[in-house]
Amino acid sequence: QVQLVESGGGLVQTEGSLRLSCAASGRTFSTYAMGWFRQAPGKEREFVATISRSGGITYYADSVKGRFTISRDNAKNTVYLQMNSLKPEDTAVYYCAARLEIAQRLWIGATDYNYWGQGTQVTVSS
């Protein structure tokens, strides 16, 4: 079992930056692949980024590639999402997610993940 708590959301202007954090409970954080997803009002939850348990593999949705960076600090049980050059269409509730990872691969589906945080709101004003 792992519990996830996101923080760092807020209101920012277009082209601004935010860094989201997701703190995980437990002693086995380094065995979990982590992902960030987002859900805008009236839309389905969509994949944003994922990082393998070691941090050696990352992958991004095309819509955020080059603007967002996912990273993790296994000593702090935390995964981050640095978001730069934000656009109004990035407005959504952002969720972090975790899944136990045996073999490292890309996990980009919401159903790939077993544990979810409560979400943090990101609003980008135009």
Side-chain angles (χ1 to χ4, degrees):
Q1 285 278 359
V2 61
Q3 294 183 323
L4 306 172
V5 179
E6 301 99 333
S7 61
L11 174 64
V12 64
Q13 292 185 333
T14 298
E15 292 299 318
S17 297
L18 282 175
R19 187 176 82 154
L20 305 183
S21 299
C22 173
S25 64
R27 298 175 295 173
T28 59
F29 179 70
S30 61
T31 64
Y32 287 86
M34 302 297 295
W36 284 98
F37 289 76
R38 66 187 182 186
Q39 188 166 19
K43 295 188 176 181
E44 293 187 355
R45 190 169 298 190
E46 66 172 357
F47 167 78
V48 174
T50 184
I51 188 166
S52 63
R53 66 182 192 271
S54 68
I57 300 174
T58 60
Y59 186 76
Y60 300 89
D62 287 343
S63 59
V64 306
K65 201 172 295 182
R67 299 187 298 123
F68 291 10
T69 302
I70 188 170
S71 62
R72 65 189 296 159
D73 185 337
N74 285 346
K76 295 183 178 180
N77 282 15
T78 302
V79 63
Y80 304 97
L81 185 68
Q82 177 66 45
M83 305 186 296
N84 298 328
S85 302
L86 283 161
K87 305 174 182 180
E89 51 264 43
D90 294 317
T91 295
V93 177
Y94 283 71
Y95 299 90
C96 73
R99 67 156 290 138
L100 191 64
E101 183 175 54
I102 305 301
Q104 295 189 87
R105 51 157 282 190
L106 295 178
W107 308 99
I108 63 173
T111 56
D112 289 333
Y113 294 85
N114 309 108
Y115 305 101
W116 293 84
Q118 82 289 350
T120 186
Q121 176 71 46
V122 171
T123 303
V124 184
S125 63
S126 57

